[in-house]
Amino acid sequence: FSLKELHGIFPWLVESIFGSLDGIIVGWNLRCLQGRTNPSEYSVALDFLDPSGPMMKLVYKLQAEEYRYDFPVSYLPGPVKASIQEQVLPECSLYHNKVQFPSAGGLGLNLALNPFEYYMFYFAISLITQKNSPVTHHVSPSNSAYFILVDTYLKCFLPTEGSVLPPPSSNPGGAIPSPTPRSPAVPFSSYGMHHTSLLKRHIAHQPSVNADPASQEIWRSETLLQIFVEMWLHHYSLEMYQKMQSPHVKLEVLHYRLSISSKHHGSPAQSSYQALHAYQESFKPTEEHVLVVRLLVKHLHAFSNSLKPEPLSPSAHSHTASPLEEFKRVVIPRFVQEKLYIFLQHCFGHWPLDASFRAVLEMWLSYLQPWRYAPEKPPQSTESLPRSVSEKWAAFIQENLLMYTKLFVGFLNRALRTDLVSPKNALMVFRVAKVFAQPNLAEMILKGEQLFLEPELVIPHRQHRLFMSPTLGGSFLSSRSPAVTDASFKVKSHVYSLEGQDFQYKQMFGTEVRNLVLKLAQLICQAQQTAKSISDHSAETVASQSFFSWFRFAPSDMNGSYTGNDLDEIGQDSIKKTDEYLEKALEYLCQIFKLSEAQLTQMMMKCGTAQDENGKKQLPDCIASENGLILTPLGRYQIINGLRRFEVQYQGDTELQPIRSYENAALVRLLFRLSSVLNERFADQMEVLCSREDFVGRLCRYHLTNPHLAQKIRYSPMVRDRTSQNWGPRISLRFLASYRTLISLLMIYFLASWFYIGPVGCTFIILIGYFLYAVIMTFFFEGWKPHEH
């Protein structure tokens, strides 16, 4: 094919691979393509789209001719799209000099992208646009072709060792030109101060045909990273986020949401909140999206940590540092920090309260621990002691203080609303507590908070913005005050740039957050007690379902009480894991916040972990009144979260209980009529026999009365005196309607037939055996009832 023909089919080819922007064309569906299910297609796709594969060779070939391709602005992330449509140029240099007015008869604005940008735009945005593609089998995101390609591109264009491989060229010794500056096609105004692109510093005024190879590597690296960050993270506006932190604005937005169904739309401020609803909250990241972002975060930490140590002489640094080394130095604070923080804030506030939040949690924890991706390896030791966080990471922690403190408070608020008896939720609490309990980490966070709260001169407006993009090779603070003041200024710059000048900081180690930690510790104790109760109940259930229990003549649970919950099915191993996670999490929280033994003892007393005389957990928190027990707000919270519950038991006439699944309905009704006839005819005689004080009276009371019916413990909050009714001596034959009883009798008759004992003889032996059993039970356990509970 000629270059002109390749230029014509390139947009079609890209769309055929990654799918259309509207999601109608699925393309190769790389997100669902796995080597386990489609090995041949999987390997072909990876080879074709490899950085040195045919597709990238085509991209570089078209790049040499400086072709341009239109990308609709309407498919860009919400904040970018809204900004461009309002003719405000985004801060990201990726969009500079690329916006074009539509041609005659055209629809909407477009970006004029070079082939490399066009290819990467489609590749990155396919993660968002193709989220609803059909899936016929379970797909593991980390094993998909898309995930592998993201990892491959990151390793190729953001290498941790060596430099970026030069692009293949059809001309030996030639170079692929980098994009040349273009005059703006639309008169845009700019908000904020632009971050000067590293590309412009190193290739400005250079002829494209003789571009410096170092400039080529920094151009492709920076472009790739900007596209990934913009497409995956820039779905929430920093300005809108800061505006939403105001209580006044939150109240107005609440009123807007409540009135959204009304027909009055005349409010002048309503359009801004409609825009908020349109692009600030409509985007919902998927679990796969978060996993890919985590992969990006982990690689950027490794990429940044591969930076060579700076020379002792500042002058030497300015002459020897390569563009790639300078790029490593600023890659996280300049390109990722702000957008990732807003992304995490939105996820913490809007993600469902279920186990899928684990993906967001691990992505956050990965960002908080850059030392895990440092090239140096920890010393191998026989003791499994946690590794202390080195002091060299203090600057990173201080310049990312909100990532540690405010998001930790956000996690606390989520944890307080989840069921910690669930092993997956308990694991998340354990993971966060374990990370923050690493030696020296809490002290460095506390130091960062002290630096932020340190009194200092008022920072001029927008000066905190300037600090986020210092001139490479130097610092704005080189001529300022001592190092401590410089560190304080860095922390303040970080906080105010993300949260605004009016931000009221909530200290992680302050009283308010400490009280939240104590509440979480209390819930952990309650969840441990609940897990123990579930474990005990499960053990009792297993014991009661043994083989020999089939030979009892009565069902084991005629009152219908339910002593478990939905976690009965998770098994003993999961319950044990839950208890281990919660126990370690509580230990770590005590280490982080220096909780004393006295506080823990007081907290345990508030938990109400003491058991009552029956060995069951306590009832929900209630207030006794003349109408019975009334739930308090704490009691409602305990019931909703499964921490405590009422033991619901049937307290009426046991003969009138609903027919159970283990009973034969026809036999229940027939035996009830027979029992009623016998009780009516022989009521006086049974009353006389039961009133006797000799052995015959005791034997009759054992079979015909239930003296403990009126003494049952009431677990329901309504105390209605229904158990004070006395039904007197009576015959109950309902136990004969149980399938278990019938099967047991059939097995006995079957075994008796092997010994040539007929049905009549077998029945006589059963009656004799039961009579002897009843005599023994009358002597020793007069109060135990075999057929009424």
Side-chain angles (χ1 to χ4, degrees):
F1 292 98
S2 65
L3 276 177
K4 189 174 182 180
E5 291 174 324
L6 292 174
H7 167 62
I9 67 173
F10 181 68
W12 168 85
L13 180 60
V14 171
E15 188 174 87
S16 300
I17 296 173
F18 301 121
S20 58
L21 296 175
D22 55 12
I24 296 177
I25 300 176
V26 178
W28 291 5
N29 200 10
L30 297 174
R31 295 170 50 254
C32 300
L33 186 60
Q34 296 201 342
R36 181 174 53 86
T37 55
N38 304 98
S40 59
E41 296 178 6
Y42 175 83
S43 59
V44 168
L46 292 184
D47 292 340
F48 185 76
L49 301 177
D50 189 80
S52 58
M55 189 65 187
M56 291 303 296
K57 289 180 180 178
L58 173 61
V59 169
Y60 293 132
K61 193 172 185 180
L62 295 173
Q63 184 81 22
E65 300 299 323
E66 299 188 8
Y67 285 117
R68 291 294 182 270
Y69 302 91
D70 289 339
F71 188 92
V73 170
S74 58
Y75 289 103
L76 293 175
V80 178
K81 176 178 64 177
S83 175
I84 293 178
Q85 290 174 347
E86 295 172 4
Q87 297 195 0
V88 178
L89 188 63
E91 289 187 355
C92 180
S93 61
L94 183 66
Y95 306 106
H96 294 182
N97 304 324
K98 292 184 175 66
V99 182
Q100 291 184 332
F101 272 133
S103 58
L107 299 175
L109 297 169
N110 292 311
L111 295 180
L113 306 177
N114 63 50
F116 183 83
E117 293 169 337
Y118 187 79
Y119 173 83
M120 286 301 173
F121 260 83
Y122 263 86
F123 174 75
I125 208 169
S126 64
L127 178 65
I128 313 299
T129 57
Q130 302 295 328
K131 64 174 61 177
N132 296 323
S133 57
V135 178
T136 57
H137 58 274
H138 175 70
V139 176
S140 174
S142 59
N143 294 326
S144 67
Y146 187 88
F147 195 90
I148 300 300
L149 281 172
V150 171
D151 187 49
T152 303
Y153 289 155
L154 289 174
K155 290 178 179 177
C156 176
F157 296 107
L158 299 172
T160 56
E161 295 180 0
S163 58
V164 183
L165 294 177
S169 175
S170 58
N171 299 323
I176 303 301
S178 56
T180 55
R182 294 167 56 90
S183 58
V186 180
F188 278 88
S189 59
S190 171
Y191 64 85
M193 295 194 65
H194 299 318
H195 302 317
T196 303
S197 172
L198 291 171
L199 168 67
K200 294 181 179 179
R201 285 199 57 200
H202 295 282
I203 66 174
H205 310 299
Q206 290 185 0
S208 60
V209 293
N210 297 319
D212 181 14
S215 304
Q216 289 294 326
E217 67 173 343
I218 192 64
W219 167 73
R220 288 184 294 156
S221 301
E222 184 177 357
T223 300
L224 176 86
L225 178 61
Q226 285 182 326
I227 292 174
F228 283 0
V229 170
E230 288 295 308
M231 295 300 106
W232 297 341
L233 296 179
H234 196 188
H235 294 274
Y236 314 103
S237 164
L238 174 64
E239 284 70 20
M240 189 62 71
Y241 166 76
Q242 292 178 353
K243 185 185 296 183
M244 286 298 298
Q245 303 309 301
S246 168
H248 175 69
V249 175
K250 289 182 179 179
L251 183 61
E252 289 186 353
V253 173
L254 177 61
H255 287 314
Y256 164 70
R257 289 172 178 168
L258 293 176
S259 62
I260 203 169
S261 59
S262 65
K263 298 181 180 180
H264 303 286
H265 299 288
S267 174
Q270 202 160 13
S271 60
S272 63
Y273 297 119
Q274 287 175 343
L276 165 71
H277 184 74
Y279 73 84
Q280 183 72 10
E281 295 183 347
S282 60
F283 181 78
K284 297 179 178 62
T286 62
E287 188 173 352
E288 180 187 8
H289 180 179
V290 174
L291 291 175
V292 173
V293 173
R294 186 190 180 209
L295 176 64
L296 173 65
V297 168
K298 292 166 65 176
H299 185 82
L300 288 180
H301 274 318
F303 177 69
S304 180
N305 290 336
S306 66
L307 178 67
K308 297 177 182 177
E310 293 186 10
L312 297 177
S313 171
S315 60
H317 164 73
S318 61
H319 293 290
T320 59
S322 68
L324 187 62
E325 293 298 305
E326 294 183 352
F327 186 48
K328 292 178 181 180
R329 185 173 292 107
V330 299
V331 61
I332 290 180
R334 176 177 297 179
F335 294 97
V336 179
Q337 184 191 61
E338 175 188 300
K339 295 181 177 64
L340 181 63
Y341 175 73
I342 305 302
F343 183 84
L344 283 171
Q345 280 282 19
H346 190 274
C347 290
F348 273 58
H350 294 79
W351 201 277
L353 291 171
D354 57 21
S356 65
F357 186 72
R358 174 77 185 279
V360 179
L361 187 80
E362 293 298 337
M363 186 252 289
W364 171 50
L365 296 180
S366 294
Y367 183 83
L368 298 187
Q369 303 176 87
W371 46 87
R372 290 185 57 192
Y373 312 100
E376 66 269 12
K377 298 295 182 182
Q380 298 292 335
S381 60
T382 56
E383 300 180 2
S384 58
L385 297 176
R387 183 186 178 190
S388 178
V389 180
S390 172
E391 285 291 337
K392 77 174 186 176
W393 300 107
F396 177 87
I397 294 171
Q398 293 166 9
E399 294 173 13
N400 291 271
L401 184 64
L402 290 176
M403 289 283 195
Y404 291 88
T405 58
K406 189 170 183 183
L407 290 180
F408 179 80
V409 176
F411 174 76
L412 283 180
N413 291 325
R414 287 184 61 92
L416 290 172
R417 292 178 289 160
T418 56
D419 179 14
L420 298 183
V421 183
S422 169
K424 295 180 180 179
N425 291 336
L427 175 59
M428 287 191 284
V429 176
F430 163 75
R431 288 283 297 121
V432 174
K434 182 180 180 181
V435 168
F436 278 84
Q438 294 178 82
N440 202 34
L441 178 58
E443 289 76 6
M444 286 193 284
I445 296 175
L446 179 60
K447 176 64 175 177
E449 290 192 321
Q450 292 172 349
L451 289 173
F452 173 75
L453 300 173
E454 180 181 287
E456 193 181 11
L457 297 176
V458 177
I459 301 177
H461 185 59
R462 289 291 182 184
Q463 188 174 357
H464 56 277
R465 282 274 190 184
L466 284 171
F467 186 80
M468 297 304 295
S469 56
T471 303
L472 295 173
S475 170
F476 290 122
L477 304 176
S478 57
S479 61
R480 279 176 59 92
S481 38
V484 175
T485 307
D486 289 352
S488 175
F489 179 73
K490 290 181 180 180
V491 178
K492 293 176 187 291
S493 300
H494 155 69
V495 172
Y496 290 133
S497 65
L498 293 179
E499 293 288 344
Q501 291 284 357
D502 299 328
F503 176 59
Q504 299 294 324
Y505 183 75
K506 184 184 296 184
Q507 298 182 55
M508 177 176 168
F509 296 96
T511 305
E512 187 175 352
V513 177
R514 190 180 184 86
N515 289 336
L516 289 178
V517 173
L518 288 174
K519 287 182 180 179
L520 178 60
Q522 182 175 347
L523 287 181
I524 289 175
C525 294
Q526 293 175 342
Q528 285 180 299
Q529 185 61 38
T530 303
K532 184 177 183 301
S533 300
I534 295 173
S535 178
D536 294 342
H537 168 71
S538 301
E540 293 172 1
T541 302
V542 171
S544 65
Q545 292 176 350
S546 62
F547 175 79
F548 293 102
S549 65
W550 279 81
F551 295 96
R552 294 178 58 186
F553 288 93
S556 60
D557 187 17
M558 281 292 290
N559 57 17
S561 63
Y562 177 68
T563 56
N565 63 15
D566 295 338
L567 293 172
D568 287 337
E569 301 178 359
I570 65 178
Q572 291 287 342
D573 293 339
S574 296
I575 295 175
K576 184 179 179 180
K577 286 183 180 179
T578 299
D579 187 64
E580 291 176 356
Y581 290 147
L582 294 177
E583 184 177 356
K584 295 297 293 184
L586 186 59
E587 178 183 337
Y588 288 139
L589 289 175
C590 293
Q591 293 177 11
I592 298 169
F593 293 92
K594 306 294 190 294
L595 301 180
S596 63
E597 291 293 335
Q599 289 174 314
L600 288 179
T601 303
Q602 183 181 6
M603 178 183 60
M604 295 289 288
M605 294 176 62
K606 290 182 179 180
C607 288
T609 55
Q611 298 181 344
D612 58 18
E613 65 273 11
N614 293 323
K616 304 295 182 183
K617 62 181 182 181
Q618 289 185 339
L619 300 180
D621 193 63
C622 298
I623 298 176
S625 67
E626 58 182 8
N627 295 324
L629 300 177
I630 300 177
L631 281 172
T632 64
L634 175 60
R636 295 190 187 95
Y637 174 84
Q638 292 167 339
I639 291 179
I640 291 173
N641 288 275
L643 301 177
R644 297 185 185 180
R645 56 182 169 75
F646 288 104
E647 302 290 348
V648 181
Q649 292 187 352
Y650 182 82
Q651 297 180 357
D653 188 353
T654 54
E655 291 295 300
L656 301 178
Q657 292 186 77
I659 298 174
R660 308 302 176 85
S661 60
Y662 54 78
E663 293 178 321
N664 184 282
L667 280 178
V668 169
R669 297 185 180 98
L670 178 63
L671 293 173
F672 175 74
R673 295 192 185 98
L674 178 60
S675 300
S676 300
V677 171
L678 294 175
N679 290 330
E680 290 177 2
R681 174 167 296 187
F682 300 107
D684 295 336
Q685 290 87 333
M686 289 188 293
E687 186 72 35
V688 172
L689 289 174
C690 290
S691 61
R692 294 174 56 170
E693 295 299 332
D694 54 4
F695 177 77
V696 175
R698 293 168 59 189
L699 184 65
C700 291
R701 285 195 297 272
Y702 172 74
H703 284 86
L704 304 176
T705 64
N706 188 1
H708 298 283
L709 184 62
Q711 301 177 11
K712 286 186 178 180
I713 300 175
R714 279 188 284 263
Y715 290 96
S716 173
M718 296 303 296
V719 185
R720 299 190 181 277
D721 194 13
R722 295 177 295 182
T723 59
S724 60
Q725 185 176 355
N726 186 10
W727 288 280
R730 58 181 178 170
I731 296 173
S732 176
L733 302 176
R734 181 167 175 169
F735 70 96
L736 294 174
S738 169
Y739 290 120
R740 184 166 60 181
T741 303
L742 296 175
I743 293 175
S744 301
L745 290 175
L746 287 176
M747 292 178 65
I748 293 175
Y749 282 120
F750 177 74
L751 292 175
S753 66
W754 284 15
F755 298 96
Y756 304 101
I757 301 176
V760 177
C762 183
T763 303
F764 181 75
I765 293 175
I766 292 175
L767 292 177
I768 293 296
Y770 182 76
F771 177 76
L772 295 175
Y773 171 79
V775 169
I776 296 174
M777 297 301 294
T778 302
F779 273 116
F780 297 102
F781 305 102
E782 181 183 356
W784 188 80
K785 298 297 295 178
H787 62 287
E788 288 185 337
H789 295 267

